[in-house]
Amino acid sequence: VRVNQTRMIGAAIRYVRRGYGRGTTPLGFGAPKTDTDHGKRPILNPHSEEAKWFVRMFELTAEGVKPDQEICDEVNKMGFITRPKVYRDKENRNKIIAIKGKRKLNVKMLRNYIQNAIYAGVNTEKWLIQNGELKPVYLKEGGLVSVELFNKANHGKVMIMDEEGLPRVYHGKIPDWQHKKLKLNPNYPWKQY
């Protein structure tokens, strides 16, 4: 069992680092298996119905005119609802204990979705950490929104930058001109006089 799990998990990590999907498909995406150079692999593509919700979320947030609750109301009117999740009895797998999910969009969910880089086509999951540093990768088919729209919607709280062909995700990166000002700034030595 240990050897098989090592092989399977190791292969999954390698495929994630190459930009393929893994595990539960995020809301807004579908993951049909497609023939690739590495065999049949799940590739995250925009979902035919769910993708429009996320594009609208990013557009409205980037405009910055409406408050978050109004954005949630507008997206909910478009038919937003989370996917249902079925919980089964541990002893009798045919018996369904509960069905959770099927929730409308709220402000907390909206903020989590807006700050998730996967919607801009950049994967940042934990299997991409190498030598203690996160090394994000671009998805094979891109995301639901452009990187420019993602950065504009996040207003500098989360930024994606392309550095030498690789994506970098910065949380709260402040531009150089906004860094802490000095009381005695060497550029303006006589400002007090």
Side-chain angles (χ1 to χ4, degrees):
V1 170
R2 185 187 58 77
V3 171
N4 287 338
Q5 284 184 342
T6 303
R7 286 179 187 156
M8 291 173 63
I9 293 171
I13 291 171
R14 284 191 297 278
Y15 288 127
V16 165
R17 290 180 179 169
R18 290 178 182 154
Y20 296 110
R22 173 203 71 83
T24 306
T25 308
L27 196 62
F29 287 98
K33 288 201 172 187
T34 311
D35 283 323
T36 64
D37 298 339
H38 305 103
K40 269 193 154 186
R41 297 283 156 239
I43 295 180
L44 294 177
N45 291 322
H47 191 275
S48 58
E49 294 178 14
E50 297 173 355
K52 61 185 177 191
W53 304 332
F54 290 91
V55 173
R56 190 69 183 139
M57 274 184 231
F58 278 94
E59 289 172 351
L60 290 171
T61 308
E63 289 171 10
V65 178
K66 295 184 177 182
D68 289 347
Q69 187 57 51
E70 287 184 24
I71 295 172
C72 293
D73 294 339
E74 186 170 330
V75 175
N76 283 332
K77 285 179 189 171
M78 293 174 66
F80 181 93
I81 193 165
T82 59
R83 294 177 185 153
K85 184 171 181 179
V86 176
Y87 290 87
R88 299 183 180 272
D89 186 21
K90 289 184 180 179
E91 295 178 11
N92 182 5
R93 300 306 291 173
N94 295 328
K95 183 179 177 185
I96 296 174
I97 299 172
I99 298 175
K100 296 185 180 179
K102 296 185 179 181
R103 296 172 54 203
K104 295 281 187 186
L105 183 67
N106 59 38
V107 174
K108 187 174 181 181
M109 291 166 63
L110 172 71
R111 290 180 182 153
N112 287 337
Y113 289 137
I114 293 295
Q115 293 181 1
N116 193 345
I118 201 157
Y119 293 107
V122 177
N123 192 354
T124 58
E125 64 180 288
K126 66 178 180 179
W127 279 356
L128 297 168
I129 296 174
Q130 297 175 10
N131 300 327
E133 181 185 356
L134 178 66
K135 297 188 178 176
V137 295
Y138 287 114
L139 297 176
K140 287 290 183 187
E141 291 293 320
L144 303 180
V145 297
S146 66
V147 173
E148 293 79 23
L149 182 59
F150 178 87
N151 289 340
K152 191 174 179 186
N154 279 289
H155 306 292
K157 292 177 186 170
V158 180
M159 290 180 64
I160 298 174
M161 304 200 132
D162 191 272
E163 295 178 359
E164 300 172 5
L166 295 173
R168 286 278 177 224
V169 179
Y170 295 104
H171 294 271
K173 184 177 182 184
I174 302 169
D176 291 337
W177 62 273
Q178 283 184 338
H179 278 283
K180 186 176 179 181
K181 305 295 189 286
L182 302 171
K183 183 178 178 186
L184 301 174
N185 192 333
N187 296 332
Y188 305 100
W190 309 109
K191 72 175 183 178
Q192 301 291 335
Y193 304 100

